[in-house]
Amino acid sequence: GAVVSQHPSRVICKSGTSVKIECRSLDFQATTMFWYRQFPKQSLMLMATSNEGSKATYEQGVEKDKFLINHASLTLSTLTVTSAHPEDSSFYICSANSQGATGELFFGEGSRLTVL
Amino acid sequence: QKEVEQNSGPLSVPEGAIASLNCTYSDRVSQSFFWYRQYSGKSPELIMSIYSNGDKEDGRFTAQLNKASQYVSLLIRDSQPSDSATYLCAVNSGGYQKVTFGTGTKLQVIP
């Protein structure tokens, strides 16, 4: 299967700081990537769809100014959690589709954010 | 009504038994169906995809799709303790923004 790499895997930051998470497709080009958030023992929640060269599409209830997404190339999307607060502590996972609109999603390793 | 429904479990089966995981979906135009396995603290891993009615087998895993009943299932034969995880059903109704995940079924394989 296709490889999606995410970095960092774990990050701890102080409240009020910003944190950037990178998502890379290593062996394919991804015009679209997806960002999910998962709280403990809960299901995946789609936050936004990242589109190469254009603005991201955010799901209802997700603050676009809080979660900045940049998809500057066909292999890299970044999620920046701005002015992080303890309630932003979560497991953030990116995914990409390597086979067109109906193909499988491949996930990055995930990034566990802890805001103190 | 949830778009993709799964029983949250936990589903407990003894080692060596068959585990049967079920999923129903609401969008009749759904085209692609996937099963992901997620270990605690890890990201989901794709284990099966199925696109047409019937069965698809891959090793100990069999995915079954019935579009008329809007039902997809995953059978795990000879269940192993290492199969203990949460299994997510995902449905793609076409287009990049239409992959919907179920809430997952937690499977426990008892040694």
Side-chain angles (χ1 to χ4, degrees), chain A residues 31-32 34 36 38 43-44 49 57 91 93 100-109 112, chain B residues 31-32 34 36 38 41-44 46 49 51 88 92 94-97 99 101-103:
Chain A
T31 56
T32 303
F34 305 90
Y36 294 85
Q38 188 175 38
S43 61
L44 291 172
T49 302
T57 304
F91 191 44
I93 317 172
T102 58
E104 299 97 335
L105 285 180
F106 295 94
F107 287 85
E109 303 93 329
R112 187 163 303 282
Chain B
Q31 301 171 4
S32 310
F34 311 102
Y36 288 83
Q38 186 176 24
K42 303 294 185 181
S43 66
L46 178 68
S49 58
Y51 303 96
L88 301 170
N92 188 323
Y96 286 105
Q97 302 190 37
V99 176
F101 284 85
T103 54

Side-chain angles (χ1 to χ4, degrees), chain B residues 30-50:
Chain B
S30 299
Q31 301 171 4
S32 310
F33 307 86
F34 311 102
W35 283 99
Y36 288 83
R37 177 176 62 199
Q38 186 176 24
Y39 292 112
S40 181
K42 303 294 185 181
S43 66
E45 171 192 12
L46 178 68
I47 54 172
M48 288 288 285
S49 58
I50 187 166

Side-chain angles (χ1 to χ4, degrees), chain A residues 11-17 84-87 89 113-116:
Chain A
V11 58
I12 301 172
C13 70
K14 294 181 179 180
S15 185
T17 61
H85 288 92
E87 58 265 31
S89 298
L113 171 63
T114 302
V115 185
L116 302 177

Side-chain angles (χ1 to χ4, degrees), chain B residues 48-60:
Chain B
M48 288 288 285
S49 58
I50 187 166
Y51 303 96
S52 56
N53 281 328
D55 295 1
K56 179 181 178 182
E57 186 175 319
D58 184 359
R60 295 187 296 113

Side-chain angles (χ1 to χ4, degrees), chain B residues 8-46:
Chain B
S8 62
L11 171 66
S12 294
V13 300
E15 183 174 357
I18 295 175
S20 178
L21 304 164
N22 304 315
C23 173
T24 58
Y25 60 95
S26 60
D27 191 343
R28 286 193 167 274
V29 301
S30 299
Q31 301 171 4
S32 310
F33 307 86
F34 311 102
W35 283 99
Y36 288 83
R37 177 176 62 199
Q38 186 176 24
Y39 292 112
S40 181
K42 303 294 185 181
S43 66
E45 171 192 12
L46 178 68

Side-chain angles (χ1 to χ4, degrees), chain A residues 43-116:
Chain A
S43 61
L44 291 172
M45 187 195 83
L46 179 64
M47 298 175 65
T49 302
S50 171
N51 304 297
E52 188 269 335
S54 65
K55 292 182 179 180
T57 304
Y58 290 82
E59 296 299 302
Q60 189 173 7
V62 178
E63 301 175 58
K64 62 180 181 181
D65 295 329
K66 172 78 172 175
F67 300 98
L68 300 179
I69 291 173
N70 184 283
H71 195 152
S73 77
L74 288 172
T75 60
L76 174 64
S77 175
T78 61
L79 167 68
T80 301
V81 182
T82 62
S83 186
H85 288 92
E87 58 265 31
D88 298 323
S89 298
S90 189
F91 191 44
Y92 293 87
I93 317 172
C94 71
S95 71
N97 182 319
S98 72
Q99 299 182 17
T102 58
E104 299 97 335
L105 285 180
F106 295 94
F107 287 85
E109 303 93 329
S111 299
R112 187 163 303 282
L113 171 63
T114 302
V115 185
L116 302 177

